[in-house]
Amino acid sequence: MSETTSLSSSSAPKRVFPPLYKSSGDAAMDRLAFFHILERLKTQKRTGWVDHKVPEPESISDHMYRMSVLAMCTSDPDLDVSKCVMMAVVHDLAEAQVGDIAPREGIPKAEKRRLEAEAMHNFVHEMLHSSPAAQRIEALWKEYEEGESKEAKFVKDLDRFEMACQASEYERNHGMQTLQPFFESSLPYIRHPEVQQWGQALADERQKKNSTG
């Protein structure tokens, strides 16, 4: 959730990272440990919403699930939709280890990238023993991080749109009035034409709601 405007870190506790997993040598048990660590994505709340005191904020996996369904909704024939869906599922996978690091925590971007790469390396090699499935996950994650392929760029736009969509729903459902930064840091940066259309529809809906009260 790095694109949102960060809040003050003066009262925020310093993030403590759990220890990296060490392989037991038993491939079945190590794989099961990976399956269990995925639960953290279901229980960890997205930091930006927590910082803005959103009631019952979404989890990391909530965010990735809707992105995956959004990817299935594209009509762009030039995209590998299956790849986009899988990329959406794994793009925040490292956060199972390092959490959703926010800018206000003062962790430099280079260090954040290092921590996330270290987490993915741990998943792929210590937990999944460099299996073909592990290599596929790692390749998808790296492709997203590099942001060069048309699928990676599209999924990044889905990341932006999904965040704005969620912000709009929090405004509607909880009367939140402090979420404008989430729109400003997402919708203007969408580049894929179809996702731009979705973003414009969302902006129009929000404007209509605000004008009618």
Side-chain angles (χ1 to χ4, degrees), residues 49-67:
W49 307 130
V50 174
D51 286 349
H52 281 76
K53 297 179 172 51
V54 172
E56 299 181 4
E58 66 169 347
S59 69
I60 297 166
S61 62
D62 289 336
H63 166 65
M64 293 195 293
Y65 174 77
R66 178 154 55 180
M67 281 180 61

Side-chain angles (χ1 to χ4, degrees), residues 121 123-136 138:
H121 185 274
F123 297 160
V124 168
H125 299 288
E126 294 291 319
M127 292 180 158
L128 297 177
H129 291 229
S130 304
S131 65
Q135 292 176 38
R136 180 169 60 245
E138 183 179 41

